[in-house]
Amino acid sequence: MAEVQAYQGDYQSEEAVWLKAGTYEAVLLPRVGGNLIAFRDTKRNYRFLREPREDEMDTFRQGPGTYGIPVLFPPNRYEDGKFPWNGKTYQFPINEPATGNHLHGFLHTIPWEVEQIGQTERESFATVKVTITREHPVYEVFPFEFTVKLRYTLGPDGLSQLVTVKNEGAEPLPCLIAFHTAINAPFVQGGEAKDYLAQITIGQRWELNERMLPTGKHQPLSPEEEKLKQGGVNPFFGPMDNHYTAAPQGGRNRMELTDTKHGVTLVYDVGTSYKMWMVWNNGATEGFFCPEPQMNLVNAPKVNLPAEEIGLISLAPGEIWEETARLYTKE
């Protein structure tokens, strides 16, 4: 196998951790939300994740949610910024004026720290973490004490992710998390979006109101969504900002994106703890789309449905939750 390396360096003037293993390389940006900004196959010239151009870096730092693999905690929208939890209601900032909601939580824009980097003969790896204490600025709006860690490992079988959440406080912690993963389509250099088919293990579609909040009801899938569920459809068949239940197939919860012309499929295999998918394609604009594994229903604390059904997970003091995901190709 070719050289395996893990080292701290630079990515377009931003502090970075570089991982290399064989034909693969990946880049992690600790100070911008622990974002895994790049995953590439250098031999085949594949770039799987949407990366900012050099002249987009300031835009990316201000809004990293549609590049790489941003972590959302707590994810998606909360009505009027209100978050009822354990007998109290917390007020989040309204950062989406168009809907009057809070959007995407507090971890994807702040600095994380590097805990560990290293390599074995076959794999390179890095762990980044963020710990929220009473002194941390996030605590002012999300008053819980906890640590989130992301460990990425790069090797012959692609890129693996391990996410860990630990409740470090004395109160029950809302453990609600998602990844706004931005997948390139095309990911083959010189490829065309029209040649791409996506398949995702979606189940039912949630009805969303004019504020993009779930009503608690489901809607029938369109013919294109049925193909998204089984068989494959072009990811830009129409505008998507849709919320679905996850329905694992063969015990696996995943998105598969196939370049039909070059005969290669990118697999994004996520854990079954993610009870929901969000799928967003930037108004059907070719170039990238976001298949987002999400633990919980949007606005879950205010939806009157069983907690287990909507992924409303609580961690007792000292408890740890973790889940894995993997990105790899098959031909």
Side-chain angles (χ1 to χ4, degrees), residues 158-175:
L159 178 74
S160 72
Q161 178 200 66
L162 173 67
V163 55
T164 305
V165 181
K166 182 179 181 181
N167 185 353
E168 311 269 15
E171 300 292 329
L173 172 72
C175 182

Side-chain angles (χ1 to χ4, degrees), residues 81-91:
K82 296 190 184 305
F83 190 92
W85 183 259
N86 197 33
K88 301 177 184 177
T89 297
Y90 301 98
Q91 181 65 53

Side-chain angles (χ1 to χ4, degrees), residues 34-237:
N35 194 322
L36 193 290
I37 197 62
F39 173 42
R40 310 164 179 163
D41 184 325
T42 57
K43 180 180 178 181
R44 298 172 181 83
N45 217 357
Y46 300 161
R47 292 198 173 204
F48 300 111
L49 300 176
R50 183 188 186 217
E51 302 178 36
R53 298 187 309 267
E54 196 156 2
D55 62 356
E56 289 179 317
M57 285 302 289
D58 286 340
T59 301
F60 160 68
R61 290 184 187 99
Q62 292 165 14
T66 57
Y67 300 87
I69 308 181
V71 54
L72 310 181
F73 189 101
N76 221 281
R77 294 176 175 89
Y78 297 91
E79 183 179 6
D80 302 323
K82 296 190 184 305
F83 190 92
W85 183 259
N86 197 33
K88 301 177 184 177
T89 297
Y90 301 98
Q91 181 65 53
F92 298 167
I94 306 298
N95 60 0
E96 192 181 47
T99 64
N101 300 320
H102 174 80
L103 180 68
H104 288 341
F106 310 105
L107 300 189
H108 66 296
T109 57
I110 65 173
W112 291 40
E113 61 180 289
V114 178
E115 182 178 68
Q116 184 185 38
I117 63 172
Q119 66 262 340
T120 65
E121 289 184 4
R122 292 173 58 81
E123 296 179 327
S124 57
F125 59 87
T127 302
V128 295
K129 70 175 183 177
V130 63
T131 297
I132 306 303
T133 64
R134 291 175 180 269
E135 290 72 40
H136 197 287
V138 164
Y139 189 87
E140 295 178 15
V141 287
F142 191 73
F144 299 91
E145 296 174 272
F146 61 99
T147 296
V148 181
K149 293 185 182 183
L150 286 169
R151 180 183 175 93
Y152 285 101
T153 304
L154 195 64
D157 293 326
L159 178 74
S160 72
Q161 178 200 66
L162 173 67
V163 55
T164 305
V165 181
K166 182 179 181 181
N167 185 353
E168 311 269 15
E171 300 292 329
L173 172 72
C175 182
L176 312 179
I177 199 166
F179 293 91
H180 204 291
T181 308
I183 301 289
N184 280 334
F187 58 76
V188 176
Q189 182 159 355
E192 295 184 83
K194 67 180 180 62
D195 296 324
Y196 279 68
L197 294 177
Q199 185 172 330
I200 307 175
T201 51
I202 60 172
Q204 297 177 292
R205 178 175 171 173
W206 291 100
E207 180 181 68
L208 302 178
N209 65 19
E210 67 282 353
R211 296 178 65 187
M212 297 301 292
L213 300 169
T215 65
K217 300 176 182 177
H218 294 124
Q219 294 177 310
L221 298 182
S222 70
E224 292 85 3
E225 288 172 315
E226 292 286 0
K227 291 179 182 176
L228 183 65
K229 182 177 181 178
Q230 195 78 45
V233 68
N234 187 275
F236 309 108
F237 68 81

Side-chain angles (χ1 to χ4, degrees), residues 262-274:
H262 294 89
V264 60
T265 297
L266 174 67
V267 181
Y268 182 30
D269 200 327
V270 305
T272 54
S273 295
Y274 299 108

Side-chain angles (χ1 to χ4, degrees), residues 292-311:
E292 307 166 34
Q294 185 164 308
M295 280 182 69
N296 57 289
L297 181 67
V298 170
N299 204 34
K302 296 190 76 174
V303 177
N304 188 24
L305 288 170
E308 188 67 28
E309 179 184 333
I310 60 175

